[in-house]
């Protein structure tokens, strides 16, 4: 990774994606932000990231459920920056329900955002990467790409799918200077997780502190949440020259969760 390169980070208006975008900007990489949120807040975030780090930061509102919008985003990123050097597939949502009650629309949305959007961004980014004989694809999967939890059928299926997709793409681009890997975080305290806490507390009749300790962190031997900064630093490492031989694999950043 070098100053002046470009990165598209999907779902980067919040949480892990925002942290990864910020970390790339600090390295002198121009960034395309993507995701939903309040327009004024997003513009402030974009402008701050650009001015603080002296890089170009663009925002694209493409909805990751819409292949035509993804295509337009990738095209305009490549036009603005002369290609797409780094692609981080990070956009994701969660929904928790027993499989027999799982709303069909939620299943379709999770598969579209958490899995199929990575196919669309990747198929569109790879030609630019091959042309430059250099590229990095980082898929933000999850510990749930390796193990399951009940009531998360769509999320676990999508994240396992991301892992298979990661390995396949890695093999296809291996001789073109392009790597493709997945980062598998454990629980990170972002809006995606924070939203689950009050509902889980209510459903189980326990306090929010108990949900954090006895439900979420029960799976994590460190008993600590993973931080956004730790995941972002892993993404920066995967985009470094030192990681050129790391491809088709997953780096667990899960506090030991999947070692048990
Ligand atoms: P978050 O809710 O803070 O951020 C999600 C981002 O995705 C936001 O920017 C949101 O606007 C965007 N997004 C949602 N739907 C979109 C759509 N249709 N089109 C475009 N953007 C969309 O969540 P997060 O925790 O930062 O999650 C980021 C990724 O990390 C997800 O793929 C998630 O599965 C994964 N992950 C999170 C955790 C965790 O504990 N937080 C653990 C493992 C993996």
């Amino acid at each position: 990774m070098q100053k002046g390169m470009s990165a598209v980070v999907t779902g980067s208006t919040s949480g892990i994606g925002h942290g990864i975008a910020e970390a790339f900007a600090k390295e002198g990489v121009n960034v395309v932000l993507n995701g939903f949120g309040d327009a004024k807040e997003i513009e402030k975030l974009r402008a701050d990231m650009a001015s603080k780090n002296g890089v170009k930061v663009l925002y694209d509102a493409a909805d990751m459920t819409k292949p035509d919008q993804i295509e337009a985003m990738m095209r305009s990123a490549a036009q603005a920056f002369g290609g797409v050097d780094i692609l981080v597939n990070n956009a994701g949502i969660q929904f928790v329900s027993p499989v027999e009650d799982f709303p069909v629309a939620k299943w379709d949305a999770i598969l579209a955002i958490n899995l199929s959007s990575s196919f669309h961004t990747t198929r569109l980014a790879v030609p630019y990467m091959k042309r430059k004989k250099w590229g990095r694809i980082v898929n933000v999967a999850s510990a749930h790409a390796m193990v399951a939890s009940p009531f998360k059928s769509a999320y676990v299926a999508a994240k396992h799918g991301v892992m298979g997709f990661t390995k396949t793409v890695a093999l296809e681009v291996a001789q073109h200077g392009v790597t493709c890997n997945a980062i598998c975080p454990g629980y990170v305290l972002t809006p995606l997780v924070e939203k689950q806490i009050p509902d889980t507390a209510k459903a189980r009749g326990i306090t929010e502190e108990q949900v954090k300790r006895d439900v979420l962190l029960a799976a994590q031997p460190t008993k600590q949440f993973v931080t956004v900064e730790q995941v972002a630093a892993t993404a920066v490492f995967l985009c470094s020259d030192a990681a050129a031989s790391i491809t088709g694999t997953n780096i667990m950043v899960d506090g030991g969760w999947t070692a048990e």
Side-chain angles (χ1 to χ4, degrees), residues 5-142:
M5 282 187 165
S6 65
V8 173
V9 185
T10 71
S12 45
T13 52
S14 164
I16 293 171
H18 176 244
I20 292 175
E22 185 79 50
F24 284 146
K26 271 196 194 128
E27 298 288 320
V29 168
N30 299 315
V31 176
V32 176
L33 295 174
N34 158 261
F36 298 151
D38 178 78
K40 273 194 193 138
E41 280 174 25
I42 293 173
E43 173 48 26
K44 185 174 177 331
L45 191 144
R46 187 204 65 75
D48 285 353
M49 198 179 284
S51 65
K52 217 167 44 183
N53 300 293
V55 294
K56 289 184 195 142
V57 181
L58 305 177
Y59 167 66
D60 194 301
D63 181 339
M64 290 299 113
T65 64
K66 306 266 185 322
D68 56 332
Q69 294 187 18
I70 297 173
E71 207 156 328
M73 175 181 78
M74 298 304 287
R75 205 179 315 118
S76 72
Q79 268 165 9
F81 297 135
V84 177
D85 303 309
I86 297 167
L87 169 65
V88 181
N89 290 308
N90 166 80
I93 59 168
Q94 175 63 286
F95 193 79
V96 179
S97 161
V99 68
E100 65 271 33
D101 301 326
F102 213 95
V104 171
K106 284 284 180 201
W107 172 276
D108 289 344
I110 290 177
L111 269 285
I113 298 166
N114 297 20
L115 176 60
S116 299
S117 74
S118 304
F119 158 65
H120 294 297
T121 53
T122 301
R123 71 181 169 80
L124 296 160
V126 159
Y128 297 114
M129 295 176 174
K130 279 186 170 174
R131 220 168 289 154
K132 288 200 187 172
K133 300 184 172 49
W134 195 95
R136 292 286 187 270
I137 302 168
V138 178
N139 297 322
V140 180
S142 167

Side-chain angles (χ1 to χ4, degrees), residues 17 22 37 68 160 173 189 200 255:
E22 185 79 50
D68 56 332
H160 275 63
V173 297
L189 260 193
T200 309

Side-chain angles (χ1 to χ4, degrees), residues 209-230:
E209 268 320 300
Q210 285 171 315
V211 172
K212 286 187 195 169
R213 193 187 60 229
D214 301 336
V215 181
L216 301 179
L217 294 180
Q220 240 156 256
T222 53
K223 302 300 168 202
Q224 305 278 331
F225 284 99
V226 174
T227 67
V228 165
E229 291 73 20
Q230 290 163 351

